PDB file of all heavy atoms in Angstrom:
ATOM      1  N   TRP A   1      70.127 106.494  84.754  1.00 92.00           N
ATOM      2  CA  TRP A   1      70.490 105.562  83.533  1.00 92.00           C
ATOM      3  C   TRP A   1      71.950 105.258  83.568  1.00 92.00           C
ATOM      4  O   TRP A   1      72.434 104.162  83.319  1.00 92.00           O
ATOM      5  CB  TRP A   1      70.148 106.209  82.386  1.00 92.00           C
ATOM      6  CG  TRP A   1      68.662 106.124  81.858  1.00 92.00           C
ATOM      7  CD1 TRP A   1      67.752 107.190  81.802  1.00 92.00           C
ATOM      8  CD2 TRP A   1      68.050 104.933  81.550  1.00 92.00           C
ATOM      9  NE1 TRP A   1      66.524 106.696  81.466  1.00 92.00           N
ATOM     10  CE2 TRP A   1      66.707 105.403  81.234  1.00 92.00           C
ATOM     11  CE3 TRP A   1      68.366 103.622  81.348  1.00 92.00           C
ATOM     12  CZ2 TRP A   1      65.614 104.414  80.854  1.00 92.00           C
ATOM     13  CZ3 TRP A   1      67.433 102.731  80.952  1.00 92.00           C
ATOM     14  CH2 TRP A   1      66.088 103.086  80.678  1.00 92.00           C
ATOM     15  N   ARG A   2      72.871 106.210  83.876  1.00 92.00           N
ATOM     16  CA  ARG A   2      74.229 106.019  83.838  1.00 92.00           C
ATOM     17  C   ARG A   2      74.595 104.986  85.025  1.00 92.00           C
ATOM     18  O   ARG A   2      75.531 104.210  84.776  1.00 92.00           O
ATOM     19  CB  ARG A   2      74.977 107.305  84.089  1.00 92.00           C
ATOM     20  CG  ARG A   2      74.946 108.322  82.964  1.00 92.00           C
ATOM     21  CD  ARG A   2      76.008 109.369  83.027  1.00 92.00           C
ATOM     22  NE  ARG A   2      75.729 110.247  84.252  1.00 92.00           N
ATOM     23  CZ  ARG A   2      76.495 110.420  85.273  1.00 92.00           C
ATOM     24  NH1 ARG A   2      77.631 109.540  85.311  1.00 92.00           N
ATOM     25  NH2 ARG A   2      76.212 111.252  86.280  1.00 92.00           N
ATOM     26  N   ALA A   3      74.004 105.139  86.104  1.00 93.00           N
ATOM     27  CA  ALA A   3      74.364 104.128  87.244  1.00 93.00           C
ATOM     28  C   ALA A   3      73.822 102.775  86.857  1.00 93.00           C
ATOM     29  O   ALA A   3      74.503 101.821  87.195  1.00 93.00           O
ATOM     30  CB  ALA A   3      73.683 104.627  88.451  1.00 93.00           C
ATOM     31  N   MET A   4      72.721 102.560  86.277  1.00 93.00           N
ATOM     32  CA  MET A   4      72.206 101.245  85.863  1.00 93.00           C
ATOM     33  C   MET A   4      73.098 100.589  84.804  1.00 93.00           C
ATOM     34  O   MET A   4      73.201  99.393  84.800  1.00 93.00           O
ATOM     35  CB  MET A   4      70.766 101.398  85.355  1.00 93.00           C
ATOM     36  CG  MET A   4      69.839 101.864  86.416  1.00 93.00           C
ATOM     37  SD  MET A   4      68.152 102.248  85.746  1.00 93.00           S
ATOM     38  CE  MET A   4      67.636 100.546  85.131  1.00 93.00           C
ATOM     39  N   LEU A   5      73.737 101.508  83.934  1.00 93.00           N
ATOM     40  CA  LEU A   5      74.564 100.897  82.893  1.00 93.00           C
ATOM     41  C   LEU A   5      76.054 100.745  83.389  1.00 93.00           C
ATOM     42  O   LEU A   5      76.809 100.177  82.615  1.00 93.00           O
ATOM     43  CB  LEU A   5      74.447 101.767  81.646  1.00 93.00           C
ATOM     44  CG  LEU A   5      73.111 101.953  80.960  1.00 93.00           C
ATOM     45  CD1 LEU A   5      73.173 102.925  79.826  1.00 93.00           C
ATOM     46  CD2 LEU A   5      72.672 100.650  80.437  1.00 93.00           C
ATOM     47  N   ALA A   6      76.394 101.323  84.450  1.00 92.00           N
ATOM     48  CA  ALA A   6      77.776 101.266  84.967  1.00 92.00           C
ATOM     49  C   ALA A   6      78.087  99.858  85.461  1.00 92.00           C
ATOM     50  O   ALA A   6      77.239  99.107  86.004  1.00 92.00           O
ATOM     51  CB  ALA A   6      78.083 102.229  86.055  1.00 92.00           C
ATOM     52  N   ARG A   7      79.305  99.473  85.281  1.00 89.00           N
ATOM     53  CA  ARG A   7      79.898  98.255  85.811  1.00 89.00           C
ATOM     54  C   ARG A   7      81.039  98.562  86.733  1.00 89.00           C
ATOM     55  O   ARG A   7      82.172  98.653  86.349  1.00 89.00           O
ATOM     56  CB  ARG A   7      80.379  97.323  84.666  1.00 89.00           C
ATOM     57  CG  ARG A   7      79.265  96.903  83.769  1.00 89.00           C
ATOM     58  CD  ARG A   7      78.230  95.979  84.413  1.00 89.00           C
ATOM     59  NE  ARG A   7      77.224  95.456  83.569  1.00 89.00           N
ATOM     60  CZ  ARG A   7      76.115  96.081  83.441  1.00 89.00           C
ATOM     61  NH1 ARG A   7      75.743  97.220  84.265  1.00 89.00           N
ATOM     62  NH2 ARG A   7      75.152  95.570  82.696  1.00 89.00           N
ATOM     63  N   TYR A   8      80.635  98.902  88.003  1.00 90.00           N
ATOM     64  CA  TYR A   8      81.701  99.384  88.864  1.00 90.00           C
ATOM     65  C   TYR A   8      82.234  98.353  89.772  1.00 90.00           C
ATOM     66  O   TYR A   8      81.459  97.384  90.224  1.00 90.00           O
ATOM     67  CB  TYR A   8      81.105 100.499  89.815  1.00 90.00           C
ATOM     68  CG  TYR A   8      82.023 101.121  90.831  1.00 90.00           C
ATOM     69  CD1 TYR A   8      83.021 101.813  90.578  1.00 90.00           C
ATOM     70  CD2 TYR A   8      81.851 100.683  92.176  1.00 90.00           C
ATOM     71  CE1 TYR A   8      83.878 102.365  91.452  1.00 90.00           C
ATOM     72  CE2 TYR A   8      82.723 101.202  93.212  1.00 90.00           C
ATOM     73  CZ  TYR A   8      83.738 101.953  92.812  1.00 90.00           C
ATOM     74  OH  TYR A   8      84.547 102.531  93.787  1.00 90.00           O
ATOM     75  N   VAL A   9      83.596  98.340  89.918  1.00 87.00           N
ATOM     76  CA  VAL A   9      84.312  97.390  90.813  1.00 87.00           C
ATOM     77  C   VAL A   9      84.841  98.109  91.860  1.00 87.00           C
ATOM     78  O   VAL A   9      85.639  99.110  91.646  1.00 87.00           O
ATOM     79  CB  VAL A   9      85.312  96.601  90.028  1.00 87.00           C
ATOM     80  CG1 VAL A   9      86.015  95.585  91.008  1.00 87.00           C
ATOM     81  CG2 VAL A   9      84.683  95.794  88.926  1.00 87.00           C
ATOM     82  N   PRO A  10      84.731  97.789  93.137  1.00 84.00           N
ATOM     83  CA  PRO A  10      85.340  98.566  94.259  1.00 84.00           C
ATOM     84  C   PRO A  10      86.853  98.680  94.096  1.00 84.00           C
ATOM     85  O   PRO A  10      87.525  97.794  93.630  1.00 84.00           O
ATOM     86  CB  PRO A  10      84.916  97.753  95.455  1.00 84.00           C
ATOM     87  CG  PRO A  10      83.700  97.119  95.119  1.00 84.00           C
ATOM     88  CD  PRO A  10      83.853  96.857  93.690  1.00 84.00           C
ATOM     89  N   ASN A  11      87.391  99.673  94.583  1.00 83.00           N
ATOM     90  CA  ASN A  11      88.891 100.006  94.440  1.00 83.00           C
ATOM     91  C   ASN A  11      89.569  99.004  95.340  1.00 83.00           C
ATOM     92  O   ASN A  11      89.463  98.984  96.570  1.00 83.00           O
ATOM     93  CB  ASN A  11      89.135 101.356  95.004  1.00 83.00           C
ATOM     94  CG  ASN A  11      90.645 101.764  94.723  1.00 83.00           C
ATOM     95  OD1 ASN A  11      91.383 100.985  94.206  1.00 83.00           O
ATOM     96  ND2 ASN A  11      91.011 102.939  95.085  1.00 83.00           N
ATOM     97  N   LYS A  12      90.386  98.140  94.676  1.00 83.00           N
ATOM     98  CA  LYS A  12      91.178  97.093  95.407  1.00 83.00           C
ATOM     99  C   LYS A  12      92.381  97.723  96.124  1.00 83.00           C
ATOM    100  O   LYS A  12      92.916  96.928  96.969  1.00 83.00           O
ATOM    101  CB  LYS A  12      91.525  96.005  94.467  1.00 83.00           C
ATOM    102  CG  LYS A  12      90.380  95.211  93.730  1.00 83.00           C
ATOM    103  CD  LYS A  12      90.949  94.164  92.769  1.00 83.00           C
ATOM    104  CE  LYS A  12      89.764  93.444  92.214  1.00 83.00           C
ATOM    105  NZ  LYS A  12      90.263  92.412  91.197  1.00 83.00           N
ATOM    106  N   GLY A  13      92.750  98.807  95.826  1.00 85.00           N
ATOM    107  CA  GLY A  13      93.844  99.411  96.466  1.00 85.00           C
ATOM    108  C   GLY A  13      93.655 100.037  97.801  1.00 85.00           C
ATOM    109  O   GLY A  13      94.473 100.290  98.629  1.00 85.00           O
ATOM    110  N   VAL A  14      92.255  99.980  98.253  1.00 88.00           N
ATOM    111  CA  VAL A  14      91.899 100.509  99.515  1.00 88.00           C
ATOM    112  C   VAL A  14      92.007  99.421 100.587  1.00 88.00           C
ATOM    113  O   VAL A  14      91.507  98.255 100.391  1.00 88.00           O
ATOM    114  CB  VAL A  14      90.443 101.027  99.590  1.00 88.00           C
ATOM    115  CG1 VAL A  14      90.042 101.410 100.875  1.00 88.00           C
ATOM    116  CG2 VAL A  14      90.213 102.115  98.608  1.00 88.00           C
ATOM    117  N   THR A  15      92.894  99.662 101.655  1.00 90.00           N
ATOM    118  CA  THR A  15      93.065  98.691 102.607  1.00 90.00           C
ATOM    119  C   THR A  15      92.344  98.981 103.957  1.00 90.00           C
ATOM    120  O   THR A  15      91.744 100.051 104.030  1.00 90.00           O
ATOM    121  CB  THR A  15      94.537  98.601 102.980  1.00 90.00           C
ATOM    122  OG1 THR A  15      95.051  99.956 103.385  1.00 90.00           O
ATOM    123  CG2 THR A  15      95.314  98.201 101.704  1.00 90.00           C
ATOM    124  N   GLY A  16      92.224  98.063 104.822  1.00 93.00           N
ATOM    125  CA  GLY A  16      91.635  98.314 106.090  1.00 93.00           C
ATOM    126  C   GLY A  16      90.224  97.469 106.050  1.00 93.00           C
ATOM    127  O   GLY A  16      89.876  96.908 105.216  1.00 93.00           O
ATOM    128  N   ASP A  17      89.745  97.498 107.387  1.00 95.00           N
ATOM    129  CA  ASP A  17      88.495  96.716 107.604  1.00 95.00           C
ATOM    130  C   ASP A  17      87.319  97.614 107.235  1.00 95.00           C
ATOM    131  O   ASP A  17      87.040  98.620 107.906  1.00 95.00           O
ATOM    132  CB  ASP A  17      88.402  96.184 109.063  1.00 95.00           C
ATOM    133  CG  ASP A  17      87.318  95.243 109.310  1.00 95.00           C
ATOM    134  OD1 ASP A  17      86.449  95.144 108.364  1.00 95.00           O
ATOM    135  OD2 ASP A  17      87.221  94.740 110.448  1.00 95.00           O
ATOM    136  N   PRO A  18      86.511  97.179 106.253  1.00 95.00           N
ATOM    137  CA  PRO A  18      85.377  98.119 105.836  1.00 95.00           C
ATOM    138  C   PRO A  18      84.322  98.197 106.899  1.00 95.00           C
ATOM    139  O   PRO A  18      83.495  99.216 106.999  1.00 95.00           O
ATOM    140  CB  PRO A  18      84.865  97.534 104.554  1.00 95.00           C
ATOM    141  CG  PRO A  18      85.341  96.036 104.622  1.00 95.00           C
ATOM    142  CD  PRO A  18      86.597  96.068 105.350  1.00 95.00           C
ATOM    143  N   HIS A  19      84.241  97.165 107.762  1.00 96.00           N
ATOM    144  CA  HIS A  19      83.198  97.051 108.866  1.00 96.00           C
ATOM    145  C   HIS A  19      83.560  97.913 110.043  1.00 96.00           C
ATOM    146  O   HIS A  19      82.721  98.068 111.003  1.00 96.00           O
ATOM    147  CB  HIS A  19      82.920  95.644 109.289  1.00 96.00           C
ATOM    148  CG  HIS A  19      82.417  94.847 108.021  1.00 96.00           C
ATOM    149  ND1 HIS A  19      81.091  94.886 107.654  1.00 96.00           N
ATOM    150  CD2 HIS A  19      83.065  93.925 107.333  1.00 96.00           C
ATOM    151  CE1 HIS A  19      81.017  94.053 106.685  1.00 96.00           C
ATOM    152  NE2 HIS A  19      82.068  93.315 106.512  1.00 96.00           N
ATOM    153  N   LEU A  20      84.775  98.504 110.073  1.00 97.00           N
ATOM    154  CA  LEU A  20      85.192  99.367 111.108  1.00 97.00           C
ATOM    155  C   LEU A  20      85.450 100.786 110.560  1.00 97.00           C
ATOM    156  O   LEU A  20      86.098 101.641 111.184  1.00 97.00           O
ATOM    157  CB  LEU A  20      86.362  98.858 111.779  1.00 97.00           C
ATOM    158  CG  LEU A  20      86.168  97.454 112.601  1.00 97.00           C
ATOM    159  CD1 LEU A  20      87.615  97.036 113.231  1.00 97.00           C
ATOM    160  CD2 LEU A  20      85.190  97.673 113.705  1.00 97.00           C
ATOM    161  N   THR A  21      85.021 101.061 109.418  1.00 97.00           N
ATOM    162  CA  THR A  21      85.408 102.355 108.743  1.00 97.00           C
ATOM    163  C   THR A  21      84.111 103.203 108.539  1.00 97.00           C
ATOM    164  O   THR A  21      83.110 102.806 108.305  1.00 97.00           O
ATOM    165  CB  THR A  21      85.909 102.161 107.340  1.00 97.00           C
ATOM    166  OG1 THR A  21      87.136 101.239 107.509  1.00 97.00           O
ATOM    167  CG2 THR A  21      86.455 103.406 106.660  1.00 97.00           C
ATOM    168  N   LEU A  22      84.293 104.513 108.930  1.00 97.00           N
ATOM    169  CA  LEU A  22      83.244 105.540 108.835  1.00 97.00           C
ATOM    170  C   LEU A  22      83.500 106.433 107.546  1.00 97.00           C
ATOM    171  O   LEU A  22      84.707 106.731 107.187  1.00 97.00           O
ATOM    172  CB  LEU A  22      83.183 106.344 110.032  1.00 97.00           C
ATOM    173  CG  LEU A  22      82.512 105.870 111.238  1.00 97.00           C
ATOM    174  CD1 LEU A  22      82.560 106.979 112.359  1.00 97.00           C
ATOM    175  CD2 LEU A  22      81.156 105.392 111.079  1.00 97.00           C
ATOM    176  N   PHE A  23      82.457 106.831 106.895  1.00 96.00           N
ATOM    177  CA  PHE A  23      82.512 107.755 105.828  1.00 96.00           C
ATOM    178  C   PHE A  23      82.099 109.117 106.377  1.00 96.00           C
ATOM    179  O   PHE A  23      81.007 109.275 106.864  1.00 96.00           O
ATOM    180  CB  PHE A  23      81.518 107.360 104.638  1.00 96.00           C
ATOM    181  CG  PHE A  23      81.433 108.367 103.589  1.00 96.00           C
ATOM    182  CD1 PHE A  23      82.447 108.714 102.673  1.00 96.00           C
ATOM    183  CD2 PHE A  23      80.143 109.009 103.489  1.00 96.00           C
ATOM    184  CE1 PHE A  23      82.240 109.590 101.819  1.00 96.00           C
ATOM    185  CE2 PHE A  23      79.901 109.900 102.493  1.00 96.00           C
ATOM    186  CZ  PHE A  23      81.007 110.278 101.570  1.00 96.00           C
ATOM    187  N   VAL A  24      82.967 110.117 106.235  1.00 97.00           N
ATOM    188  CA  VAL A  24      82.713 111.461 106.600  1.00 97.00           C
ATOM    189  C   VAL A  24      82.747 112.446 105.436  1.00 97.00           C
ATOM    190  O   VAL A  24      83.717 112.464 104.781  1.00 97.00           O
ATOM    191  CB  VAL A  24      83.808 111.939 107.709  1.00 97.00           C
ATOM    192  CG1 VAL A  24      83.498 113.271 108.261  1.00 97.00           C
ATOM    193  CG2 VAL A  24      83.923 110.910 108.812  1.00 97.00           C
ATOM    194  N   ALA A  25      81.632 113.079 105.340  1.00 94.00           N
ATOM    195  CA  ALA A  25      81.394 113.942 104.221  1.00 94.00           C
ATOM    196  C   ALA A  25      80.953 115.416 104.510  1.00 94.00           C
ATOM    197  O   ALA A  25      80.731 115.683 105.784  1.00 94.00           O
ATOM    198  CB  ALA A  25      80.368 113.341 103.218  1.00 94.00           C
ATOM    199  N   ARG A  26      80.914 116.314 103.587  1.00 94.00           N
ATOM    200  CA  ARG A  26      80.540 117.748 103.677  1.00 94.00           C
ATOM    201  C   ARG A  26      81.607 118.495 104.622  1.00 94.00           C
ATOM    202  O   ARG A  26      81.158 119.355 105.356  1.00 94.00           O
ATOM    203  CB  ARG A  26      79.135 117.867 104.286  1.00 94.00           C
ATOM    204  CG  ARG A  26      78.110 117.130 103.471  1.00 94.00           C
ATOM    205  CD  ARG A  26      76.760 117.115 103.991  1.00 94.00           C
ATOM    206  NE  ARG A  26      75.837 116.300 103.291  1.00 94.00           N
ATOM    207  CZ  ARG A  26      74.604 115.964 103.681  1.00 94.00           C
ATOM    208  NH1 ARG A  26      74.144 116.354 104.785  1.00 94.00           N
ATOM    209  NH2 ARG A  26      73.803 115.281 102.841  1.00 94.00           N
ATOM    210  N   LEU A  27      82.804 118.066 104.418  1.00 96.00           N
ATOM    211  CA  LEU A  27      83.770 118.777 105.206  1.00 96.00           C
ATOM    212  C   LEU A  27      84.206 120.113 104.589  1.00 96.00           C
ATOM    213  O   LEU A  27      83.987 120.283 103.414  1.00 96.00           O
ATOM    214  CB  LEU A  27      85.106 117.866 105.275  1.00 96.00           C
ATOM    215  CG  LEU A  27      84.979 116.579 106.018  1.00 96.00           C
ATOM    216  CD1 LEU A  27      86.232 115.687 105.777  1.00 96.00           C
ATOM    217  CD2 LEU A  27      84.788 116.820 107.501  1.00 96.00           C
ATOM    218  N   ASN A  28      84.764 120.975 105.442  1.00 96.00           N
ATOM    219  CA  ASN A  28      85.301 122.164 104.939  1.00 96.00           C
ATOM    220  C   ASN A  28      86.658 121.815 104.182  1.00 96.00           C
ATOM    221  O   ASN A  28      87.348 120.964 104.611  1.00 96.00           O
ATOM    222  CB  ASN A  28      85.596 123.123 106.129  1.00 96.00           C
ATOM    223  CG  ASN A  28      86.090 124.513 105.626  1.00 96.00           C
ATOM    224  OD1 ASN A  28      86.621 124.601 104.667  1.00 96.00           O
ATOM    225  ND2 ASN A  28      85.773 125.455 106.433  1.00 96.00           N
ATOM    226  N   LEU A  29      86.740 122.462 103.029  1.00 96.00           N
ATOM    227  CA  LEU A  29      88.002 122.079 102.141  1.00 96.00           C
ATOM    228  C   LEU A  29      89.201 122.400 102.924  1.00 96.00           C
ATOM    229  O   LEU A  29      90.350 121.973 102.545  1.00 96.00           O
ATOM    230  CB  LEU A  29      87.873 122.822 100.883  1.00 96.00           C
ATOM    231  CG  LEU A  29      86.697 122.544  99.983  1.00 96.00           C
ATOM    232  CD1 LEU A  29      86.731 123.233  98.683  1.00 96.00           C
ATOM    233  CD2 LEU A  29      86.589 121.034  99.728  1.00 96.00           C
ATOM    234  N   GLN A  30      89.197 123.307 103.944  1.00 96.00           N
ATOM    235  CA  GLN A  30      90.433 123.685 104.760  1.00 96.00           C
ATOM    236  C   GLN A  30      90.722 122.631 105.893  1.00 96.00           C
ATOM    237  O   GLN A  30      91.693 122.721 106.569  1.00 96.00           O
ATOM    238  CB  GLN A  30      90.267 124.959 105.311  1.00 96.00           C
ATOM    239  CG  GLN A  30      90.047 126.058 104.259  1.00 96.00           C
ATOM    240  CD  GLN A  30      91.163 126.172 103.075  1.00 96.00           C
ATOM    241  OE1 GLN A  30      92.308 125.983 103.479  1.00 96.00           O
ATOM    242  NE2 GLN A  30      90.755 126.420 101.948  1.00 96.00           N
ATOM    243  N   THR A  31      89.700 121.706 106.086  1.00 97.00           N
ATOM    244  CA  THR A  31      89.909 120.769 107.277  1.00 97.00           C
ATOM    245  C   THR A  31      91.002 119.795 106.979  1.00 97.00           C
ATOM    246  O   THR A  31      91.037 119.183 105.789  1.00 97.00           O
ATOM    247  CB  THR A  31      88.506 120.097 107.497  1.00 97.00           C
ATOM    248  OG1 THR A  31      87.618 120.985 107.855  1.00 97.00           O
ATOM    249  CG2 THR A  31      88.778 119.035 108.735  1.00 97.00           C
ATOM    250  N   THR A  32      91.869 119.451 107.925  1.00 96.00           N
ATOM    251  CA  THR A  32      92.982 118.581 107.751  1.00 96.00           C
ATOM    252  C   THR A  32      92.860 117.271 108.498  1.00 96.00           C
ATOM    253  O   THR A  32      91.936 117.172 109.215  1.00 96.00           O
ATOM    254  CB  THR A  32      94.361 119.353 108.143  1.00 96.00           C
ATOM    255  OG1 THR A  32      94.209 119.605 109.506  1.00 96.00           O
ATOM    256  CG2 THR A  32      94.495 120.595 107.465  1.00 96.00           C
TER     257      THR A  32
END
């Protein structure tokens, strides 16, 4: 319900080519 009512706009401050970018998750909090 919250997602359906949300009006989200992508962060314009993020730079770079999104089609060449990977998302990496579930990292150890100590990973640098």
Side-chain angles (χ1 to χ4, degrees):
W1 277 114
R2 292 195 293 113
M4 293 172 65
L5 298 175
R7 296 293 180 266
Y8 178 73
V9 179
N11 188 1
K12 297 181 179 180
V14 178
T15 59
D17 189 351
H19 299 283
L20 293 176
T21 304
L22 283 181
F23 170 70
V24 184
R26 301 172 190 170
L27 294 171
N28 191 327
L29 299 182
Q30 305 301 323
T31 302
T32 61

